[in-house]
Amino acid sequence: MATKNLSEYDLASVPSAEGMKFGIVVAEWNYQITGALAQGAMETLQKHGANDNDIIVKHVPGTFELPLGGQFMAEYTHVDAIILLGCVIQGDTRHFDFICDGVTQGTMDLNLKYNKPFIFGVLTTDNEQQSLDRAGGRLGNKGDEAAVTAIKMLALKSELK
Ligand code: DLZ
């Protein structure tokens, strides 16, 4: 199966992000990659009408800290959706599995605890090249996909409320 380009989507399917408030939490580990994810997410939110003043960006040390960083955003700011951006690259030890398990379950828990979208913008790859490919490289940018997902989930919430 061909891998999807993360930056390709149907523009018409994305509602306006005007008036929506976003938090972006970025892991500092593998920052060459996570910084590119953050740039992609910012640009995509802006492209769909989000106001610069409605986007808060904060950093945490590593991907393992993303859920707590997201919880701080939910508790102490007025954002409507939070995008969590990280990159975990497989190493020689089982650390990869522990970080991936923690951030995955932690993110799901936050979605349900706060009734807000917490978007899982985390690359989990076997090597650095696979991550670069998905951080603005040949397979697009996971930050773009995360931003579009945040907008769509907020629009769905508004529609149903
Ligand atoms: C310790 C660690 C390792 C080995 N690998 C990564 C990684 O590939 N990506 C990442 O975002 N963070 C990594 N970390 C750091 C952990 O996420 C975390 O910051 C530390 O274990 C401290 O809790």
Side-chain angles (χ1 to χ4, degrees):
M1 192 179 81
T3 307
K4 181 182 181 305
N5 184 307
L6 296 158
S7 300
E8 285 177 5
Y9 56 91
D10 176 14
L11 272 180
S13 74
V14 184
S16 169
E18 194 180 350
M20 295 177 177
K21 297 187 190 329
F22 300 93
I24 302 178
V25 187
V26 189
E28 290 167 345
W29 259 78
N30 299 313
Y31 195 70
Q32 181 194 1
I33 290 156
T34 61
L37 300 180
Q39 190 179 341
M42 286 282 294
E43 287 172 4
T44 300
L45 293 176
Q46 288 161 344
K47 182 167 97 181
H48 290 286
N51 191 312
D52 286 1
N53 299 328
D54 288 334
I55 305 172
I56 301 174
V57 181
K58 294 291 175 193
H59 295 82
V60 293
T63 295
F64 190 78
E65 285 73 39
L66 286 173
L68 184 58
Q71 179 159 302
F72 289 163
M73 284 263 191
E75 288 283 340
Y76 308 131
T77 76
H78 293 101
V79 296
D80 303 310
I82 295 141
I83 297 169
L84 306 177
L85 299 175
C87 168
V88 198
I89 299 175
Q90 180 72 269
D92 294 334
T93 70
R94 293 188 60 210
H95 219 87
F96 175 91
D97 301 312
F98 297 134
I99 296 171
C100 292
D101 288 351
V103 70
T104 305
Q105 192 59 52
T107 302
M108 179 53 76
D109 291 349
L110 289 172
N111 274 278
L112 303 180
K113 173 177 172 186
Y114 286 98
N115 198 36
K116 285 184 180 197
F118 287 76
I119 308 303
F120 188 70
V122 179
L123 293 171
T124 58
T125 62
D126 290 337
N127 56 55
E128 188 180 44
Q129 188 58 53
Q130 288 179 343
S131 285
L132 290 168
D133 289 346
R134 292 160 177 81
R138 69 183 182 89
L139 296 173
N141 191 324
K142 185 140 189 90
D144 296 350
E145 182 205 52
V148 167
T149 305
I151 296 167
K152 286 187 170 181
M153 289 305 290
L154 284 180
L156 175 65
K157 188 175 178 182
S158 299
E159 193 184 310
L160 294 174
K161 254 168 91 175

